[in-house]
C-alpha cells in the first residue's frame, strides 16, 4: 500500500521533472537565438568600427536578419518540440521592443557610442527579467553583459565597438553554447 | 478505483516517464539529456530504460550522429496511457482512497 505522503512525493517529483524538461526546451531555443544574435552583433560592431559610415545600414540589416532568423528558428523548434515558442504575439513583442528602443534613442539624441551601450543594456534587461521565470542562467548572463558594457563605455576609447563585438557578440555566442549544455 | 503501475512506481522510472510524457507524442529524449534531467548514472538509467522498453512503455532508437553513438528514448502510446493511469492513481490516494500497486 502507498500512503498519501509517498503519493504526494511522487506527484512532486513528476511536477519537478516536467518543469525541468520545459525549462530545457526554453534553454535550447534561447541558446540558438543567442548564437544567431551573437554572430550578427559581432558583424554589426565590426562594420561600425571598420567603416563607421555604413554603421546605420549594418545595424538595420542586423535587426532585420535577427528578427527573420528568430521567426524561422522559433517555427522550426515549435514544429520539432510542439512548444508554443514563436507566434504573432512574439513578433509583436519584437516590434514593440525595437519601437521603444528607437523612441528612447531619438528623444535621448544618442550618439553612436551611447547607442552602442544602450542597445545591449536594453537587450540584456529582458534577459534579466526572463531569468525571473525561466531560470537564473538568463539573469546571470544579462547582468554580466550589462556590467561589461558599462565598463567598456566608461573606460574603452575608440575601440569601444570592438569591445562590444567581444562582450556582446562573442558573449552571446558563448552564453548560447553554455545555455545549450545547461 | 485507479491502480498504480508497479513498473512506473519505481522512483527513477517515474522520473523517466514524467520527462518523456512532457514531450509531444513521437518526440524522444537523448540518453545524455535524460541522464541529466533525472540525475541518474549511466548504468542505472540504462537498466531502468530496458525495464520500461520490455514493458512496451518506451521505444529505444540507437543511431550514429557523426562518429558518436546516440540513443534516443521515446514514450510509446501504451506507456503514455499507463502513465496517465498511474498519475490518476496517485491523485486518488491524495484525495483519500487507498490504492494498491498492481503486479507488473
Amino acid at each position: 500500500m502507498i500512503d498519501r505522503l509517498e503519493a504526494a512525493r511522487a506527484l512532486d517529483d513528476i511536477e519537478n521533472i516536467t518543469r525541468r524538461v520545459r525549462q530545457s526546451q526554453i534553454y535550447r531555443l534561447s541558446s540558438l537565438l543567442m548564437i544567431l544574435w551573437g554572430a550578427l552583433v559581432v558583424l554589426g560592431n565590426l562594420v561600425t568600427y571598420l567603416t563607421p559610415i555604413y554603421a546605420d545600414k549594418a545595424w538595420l540589416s542586423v535587426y532585420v536578419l535577427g528578427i527573420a532568423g528568430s521567426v524561422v528558428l522559433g517555427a522550426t523548434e515549435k514544429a520539432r518540440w510542439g512548444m508554443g515558442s514563436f507566434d504573432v504575439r512574439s513578433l509583436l513583442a519584437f516590434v514593440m521592443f525595437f519601437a521603444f528602443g528607437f523612441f528612447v534613442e531619438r528623444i535621448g539624441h544618442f550618439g553612436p557610442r551611447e547607442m552602442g551601450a544602450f542597445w545591449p543594456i536594453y537587450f540584456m534587461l529582458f534577459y534579466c527579467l526572463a531569468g525571473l521565470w525561466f531560470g537564473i542562467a538568463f539573469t546571470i548572463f544579462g547582468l554580466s553583459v550589462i556590467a561589461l558594457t558599462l565598463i567598456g563605455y566608461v573606460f574603452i576609447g575608440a575601440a569601444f565597438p570592438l569591445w562590444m563585438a567581444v562582450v556582446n557578440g562573442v558573449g552571446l555566442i558563448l552564453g548560447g553554447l553554455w545555455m545549450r549544455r545547461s | 478505483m485507479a491502480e498504480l503501475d508497479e513498473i512506473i512506481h519505481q522512483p527513477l522510472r517515474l522520473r523517466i516517464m514524467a520527462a518523456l510524457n512532457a514531450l509531444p507524442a513521437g518526440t524522444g529524449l537523448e540518453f545524455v539529456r535524460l541522464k541529466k534531467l533525472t540525475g541518474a548514472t549511466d548504468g542505472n538509467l540504462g537498466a531502468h530504460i530496458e525495464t520500461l522498453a520490455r514493458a512496451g512503455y518506451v521505444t529505444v532508437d540507437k543511431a550514429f550522429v557523426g562518429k558518436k553513438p546516440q540513443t534516443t528514448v521515446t514514450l510509446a502510446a501504451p506507456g503514455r496511457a499507463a502513465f496517465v493511469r498511474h498519475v490518476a492513481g496517485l491523485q486518488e490516494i491524495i484525495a483519500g482512497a487507498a490504492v494498491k500497486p498492481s503486479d507488473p
Side-chain angles (χ1 to χ4, degrees):
Chain A
M1 289 290 236
I2 290 159
D3 63 18
R4 281 184 181 182
L5 190 65
E6 203 180 343
R9 226 179 270 140
L11 285 173
D12 277 351
D13 224 11
I14 291 169
E15 198 181 311
N16 183 38
I17 206 96
T18 303
R19 187 182 48 76
R20 289 182 65 192
V21 170
R22 299 218 167 110
Q23 188 182 49
S24 85
Q25 288 173 310
I26 290 167
Y27 275 22
R28 186 190 160 84
L29 174 62
S30 301
S31 78
L32 293 172
L33 292 174
M34 284 166 80
I35 292 166
L36 166 74
W37 280 97
L40 291 170
V41 163
V42 168
L43 285 175
N45 277 298
L46 286 180
V47 172
T48 303
Y49 180 71
L50 297 171
T51 55
I53 54 165
Y54 293 116
D56 283 354
K57 283 178 186 151
W59 285 107
L60 183 65
S61 306
V62 164
Y63 297 141
V64 170
L65 288 173
I67 292 172
S70 301
V71 171
V72 171
L73 281 176
T76 309
E77 287 295 294
K78 184 177 181 177
R80 185 173 175 198
W81 297 101
M83 59 192 285
S85 55
F86 212 98
D87 51 19
V88 176
R89 277 183 301 183
S90 306
L91 184 63
L92 282 175
F94 260 108
V95 171
M96 283 192 271
F97 170 84
F98 283 105
F100 183 77
F102 284 123
F103 174 72
V104 172
E105 188 187 298
R106 292 291 168 241
I107 62 165
H109 302 292
F110 290 172
R113 192 175 175 83
E114 286 70 33
M115 284 198 281
F118 165 70
W119 282 100
I121 289 172
Y122 179 44
F123 210 86
M124 289 304 144
L125 166 68
F126 287 86
Y127 273 82
C128 295
L129 294 175
L132 300 177
W133 283 272
F134 305 127
I136 193 72
F138 287 97
T139 305
I140 293 170
F141 180 75
L143 289 175
S144 305
V145 173
I146 287 172
L148 289 169
T149 299
L150 290 172
I151 289 170
Y153 180 73
V154 174
F155 297 108
I156 307 285
F160 183 57
L162 283 184
W163 171 265
M164 288 314 298
V166 175
V167 166
N168 195 21
V170 177
L172 276 168
I173 294 170
L174 293 177
L177 293 172
W178 169 61
M179 203 165 269
R180 205 176 172 80
R181 296 171 64 89
S182 295
Chain B
M1 186 170 86
E3 280 193 343
L4 290 185
D5 188 313
E6 190 58 34
I7 294 172
I8 298 175
H9 187 64
Q10 196 281 336
L12 180 54
R13 290 198 287 267
L14 180 74
R15 267 181 255 147
I16 296 168
M17 294 293 283
L20 297 174
N21 185 62
L23 301 172
T27 307
L29 276 174
E30 295 99 27
F31 187 90
V32 281
R33 198 93 199 147
L34 204 47
K35 190 178 135 190
K36 201 163 194 171
L37 285 164
T38 56
T41 60
D42 279 351
N44 210 7
L45 183 62
H48 285 295
I49 286 173
E50 207 178 306
T51 304
L52 291 168
R54 269 203 309 270
Y57 288 177
V58 301
T59 56
V60 180
D61 296 301
K62 293 184 181 187
F64 275 88
V65 177
K67 286 182 180 176
K68 281 186 176 176
Q70 191 178 68
T71 302
T72 306
V73 186
T74 309
L75 192 60
R80 200 174 288 274
F83 183 75
V84 170
R85 279 196 305 273
H86 186 77
V87 171
L90 291 172
Q91 285 164 341
E92 272 191 24
I93 296 171
I94 304 277
V99 177
K100 190 183 171 192
S102 67
D103 290 330

